[in-house]
């Protein structure tokens, strides 16, 4: 299970299996969201051979999930024009001539450009001269009392159900948290004819005050601000209750969620709840780049780690490029621009275009990116996560898979554990099926707060293969095909 070029990485026996591609691709893209799709299309226009690997059965990623099917079923219009923008992107990708490995999960990426993926029955090897990691973002963990009760889930998960099969929450469901997605999803539900019990808004900053502090970006990104204000107006017209200034939220119940509690100032309130949808923004999905050993930096504004990359997404590992929200949160349109820039960078690195041609083609893309990204400073300031969210109280479960509380993590720190990997050994925190994806940010935050240091001094879990759970049969298929070749 240790690679010849990157100690600690798994690889199959030497040689090429029958399932491997006979000729390495110029450009292997992991992820079928806006960044991956735009990159694939751009790369094909530049003459590169491209394969795209994606876990979903249809192109679009999470933001444009099932957009082709929703359009065919007549549901796309209710999901908004921004969602329907993904339809043109998906169609352009379908027509671009890239090899498309849908419903494939990349479970290991090597520093030399080899990617191992499975379709759920058997693994295969895909080789690339350049590999674009475009795996998007994950929702920031929201460890509150009771968040592991049945009936509590994330806004993102609820939106997947809505986009995929048209499922709407019932009228007893509450939404709690902050970030553009909370308002967007509530408005989406109302537009589809549904209702929610109310919104518990945990944003600490006011919209007018924050907008004034970031006036330049707000003016340039006024369309995004107008969209957000439109959501608020839509919710007011639908008479959806919205509680602002919420400083704490708890889910309560015996065997499942029965009530939601919230605090505004010193006043606690309570209401019956059939469901609770949590959301406190998104952070880059860094599992792949961390496993590859790419350099990462701590983003003090977005309070998360992000891979270090240049303007074209190139990392400090020659074959590895990043684009989209996994390289830093910017949203769908920014991700799309970054994907195109990544393809231009890859084409130049492979000698298909000159650096001068790359820069000339990149110029209009950069202008478009700057227009979409102008609002980012305002959004980051408005929806900055609260300190208690990053380091919850002792009784709150931090690791859902292993049932490890924040207090148990602090206890391990008091015994001398100074980093996430030591805490993992002492507590099993991060050893469950999610392999630290959900609890990792919380573990870093709790340790940093306990030691009184910055999160970048604490670091992250060491990510080991496979990146996602894998059955032995899927892994063994590589060796079977090797013998048959």
């Amino acid at each position: 299970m240790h690679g010849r070029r990157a100690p600690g990485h798994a690889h199959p026996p030497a040689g090429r299996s029958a399932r491997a591609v006979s000729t390495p691709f110029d450009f292997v893209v992991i992820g079928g969201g806006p960044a991956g799709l735009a990159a694939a299309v751009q790369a094909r226009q530049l003459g590169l051979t491209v394969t795209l690997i994606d876990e979903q059965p249809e192109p679009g990623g999470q933001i444009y999930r099932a957009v082709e099917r929703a359009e065919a079923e007549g549901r796309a219009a209710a999901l908004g024009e921004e969602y329907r923008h993904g339809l043109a992107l998906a169609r352009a990708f379908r027509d671009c001539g890239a090899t498309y490995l849908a419903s494939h999960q990349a479970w290991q990426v090597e520093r030399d450009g080899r990617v191992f993926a499975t379709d759920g029955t058997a693994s295969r090897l895909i080789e690339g001269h350049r590999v674009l990691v475009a795996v998007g973002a994950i929702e920031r963990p929201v460890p509150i009392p009771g968040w592991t009760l049945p009936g509590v889930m994330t806004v993102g998960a609820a939106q997947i159900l809505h986009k995929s099969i048209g499922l709407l929450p019932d009228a007893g469901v509450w939404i709690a948290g902050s970030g553009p997605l909370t308002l967007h999803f509530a408005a989406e539900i109302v537009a589809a004819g549904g209702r929610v019990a109310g919104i518990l808004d945990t944003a600490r900053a006011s919209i007018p005050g924050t907008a004034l502090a970031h006036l330049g970006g707000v003016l340039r990104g006024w369309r995004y601000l107008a969209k957000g204000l439109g959501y608020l107006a839509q919710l007011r017209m639908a008479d959806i209750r919205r509680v602002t200034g919420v400083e704490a939220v708890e889910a309560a119940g015996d065997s499942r969620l029965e009530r939601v509690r919230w605090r505004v100032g010193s006043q606690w309130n309570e209401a019956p709840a059939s469901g609770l949808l949590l959301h406190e923004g998104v952070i880059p999905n860094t599992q792949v780049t961390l496993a590859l050993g790419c350099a990462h930096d701590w983003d003090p504004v977005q309070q998360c780690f992000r891979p270090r990359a240049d303007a074209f997404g190139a990392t400090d590992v020659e074959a590895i490029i990043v684009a989209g929200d996994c390289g830093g949160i910017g949203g769908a349109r920014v991700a799309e621009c970054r994907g195109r820039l990544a393809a231009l960078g890859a084409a130049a690195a492979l000698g298909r275009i000159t650096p001068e041609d790359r820069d000339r083609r990149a110029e209009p893309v950069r202008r478009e990116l700057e227009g979409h990204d102008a609002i980012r400073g305002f959004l980051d300031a408005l929806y900055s996560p609260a300190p208690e969210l990053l380091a919850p109280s002792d009784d709150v479960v931090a690791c859902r898979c292993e049932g490890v509380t924040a207090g148990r993590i602090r206890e391990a720190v008091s015994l001398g554990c100074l980093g996430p990997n030591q805490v993992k050994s002492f507590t099993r925190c991060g050893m469950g099926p999610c392999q630290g994806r959900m609890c990792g940010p919380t573990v870093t935050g709790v340790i940093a707060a306990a030691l009184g240091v910055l999160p970048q001094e604490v670091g992250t879990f060491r990510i080991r293969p496979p990146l996602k759970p894998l059955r032995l049969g899927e892994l063994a298929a590589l060796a079977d095909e090797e013998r048959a070749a």
Side-chain angles (χ1 to χ4, degrees):
M1 296 292 285
H2 294 277
R4 65 184 187 277
R5 300 191 184 189
H9 294 171
H11 66 83
R16 178 169 298 166
S17 78
R19 298 185 69 85
V21 179
S22 59
T23 301
F25 286 90
D26 295 321
F27 198 47
V28 174
V29 179
I30 304 174
L37 297 179
V41 172
Q42 179 72 79
R44 287 295 299 141
Q45 290 172 348
L46 296 170
L48 274 62
T49 55
V50 178
T51 190
L52 186 145
I53 305 165
D54 190 37
E55 295 181 7
Q56 305 302 324
E58 304 156 276
Q62 299 301 340
I63 188 72
Y64 303 133
R65 192 182 186 96
V67 65
E68 294 172 310
R69 186 152 41 90
E71 179 73 9
E73 295 171 355
R75 295 186 291 110
L79 292 165
E81 281 306 307
E82 190 61 32
Y83 175 70
R84 293 189 77 191
H85 172 79
L87 187 61
L89 196 57
R91 286 173 173 168
F93 168 71
R94 294 275 194 192
D95 294 339
C96 78
T99 300
Y100 180 31
L101 299 180
S103 302
H104 276 65
Q105 181 173 283
W107 55 265
Q108 176 61 4
V109 183
E110 297 284 354
R111 293 166 69 95
D112 60 6
R114 290 178 299 159
V115 180
F116 298 94
T118 176
D119 61 1
T121 59
S123 292
R124 64 170 59 185
L125 165 65
I126 303 101
E127 297 177 273
H129 296 304
R130 289 293 183 276
V131 175
L132 175 65
V133 180
V135 293
I138 59 174
E139 289 189 273
R140 187 187 299 277
V142 189
I144 62 169
W147 73 308
T148 57
L149 282 170
V152 181
M153 61 193 299
T154 67
V155 170
Q159 191 179 46
I160 287 173
L161 292 173
H162 183 219
K163 288 179 178 176
S164 300
I165 56 176
L167 189 65
L168 294 172
D170 68 38
V173 172
W174 288 80
I175 294 176
S178 70
L181 185 60
T182 55
L183 299 179
H184 173 91
F185 182 63
E188 182 179 305
I189 295 305
V190 169
R195 287 192 64 83
V196 292
I199 300 172
L200 305 175
D201 192 336
T202 61
R204 302 294 174 92
S206 71
I207 293 177
T210 310
L212 191 61
H214 296 268
L215 190 58
V218 169
L219 291 176
R220 284 183 291 150
W222 65 270
R223 289 182 177 83
Y224 288 95
L225 180 62
K227 188 186 301 181
L229 294 175
Y231 294 150
L232 289 174
Q234 190 176 350
L235 296 173
R236 277 195 298 270
M237 289 179 63
D239 198 24
I240 300 295
R241 183 182 181 187
R242 177 169 169 258
V243 183
T244 59
V246 174
E247 298 177 4
V249 178
E250 295 182 1
D254 291 330
S255 58
R256 64 153 291 123
L257 176 74
E258 296 171 357
R259 304 174 305 282
V260 60
R261 303 180 71 238
W262 68 91
R263 179 170 56 80
V264 178
S266 60
Q267 181 68 45
W268 278 97
N269 303 275
E270 184 175 297
S274 60
L276 176 61
L277 308 179
L278 301 173
H279 182 78
E280 290 287 351
V282 295
I283 56 177
N285 181 355
T286 54
Q287 293 292 100
V288 176
T289 48
L290 284 172
L292 281 162
C294 297
H296 286 67
D297 295 315
W298 176 255
D299 185 329
V301 178
Q302 297 187 346
Q303 294 284 305
C304 59
F305 285 98
R306 57 194 295 177
R308 189 180 303 160
D310 69 11
F312 292 94
T315 69
D316 61 337
V317 178
E318 184 179 12
I320 307 300
I321 307 168
V322 296
D325 280 352
C326 68
I329 302 303
R333 295 300 188 97
V334 170
E336 189 177 327
C337 293
R338 287 178 178 165
R340 283 148 54 191
L341 291 173
L344 290 170
L350 295 174
R352 304 303 178 86
I353 58 175
T354 65
E356 292 76 17
D357 193 16
R358 175 199 64 189
D359 294 343
R360 180 182 60 78
R361 292 170 184 263
E363 185 56 33
V365 183
R366 290 193 198 287
R367 286 198 298 272
E368 183 181 345
L369 187 153
E370 288 170 3
H372 291 302
D373 205 33
I375 197 74
R376 180 51 47 186
F378 165 74
L379 294 176
D380 288 344
L382 184 62
Y383 299 123
S384 179
E388 56 269 28
L389 191 69
L390 306 175
S393 58
D394 283 353
D395 58 334
V396 173
V397 172
C399 174
R400 297 188 305 183
C401 298
E402 297 292 333
V404 180
T405 63
R408 181 72 185 90
I409 295 171
R410 291 190 177 93
E411 182 183 340
V413 173
S414 71
L415 294 174
C417 295
L418 302 179
N421 297 298
Q422 288 175 301
V423 167
K424 184 178 184 178
S425 299
F426 270 62
T427 67
R428 292 192 57 79
C429 186
M431 287 188 180
C434 90
Q435 301 181 42
R437 274 189 296 277
M438 287 302 298
C439 64
T442 304
V443 171
T444 294
V446 170
I447 296 174
L451 295 175
V453 301
L454 298 173
Q456 61 264 40
E457 298 177 55
V458 173
T460 65
F461 281 134
R462 186 181 302 112
I463 308 301
R464 297 183 181 279
L467 296 166
K468 297 283 183 71
L470 183 74
R471 291 179 296 183
L472 287 175
E474 296 171 67
L475 183 62
L478 279 170
D480 292 341
E481 296 291 350
E482 185 74 28
R483 284 191 292 271

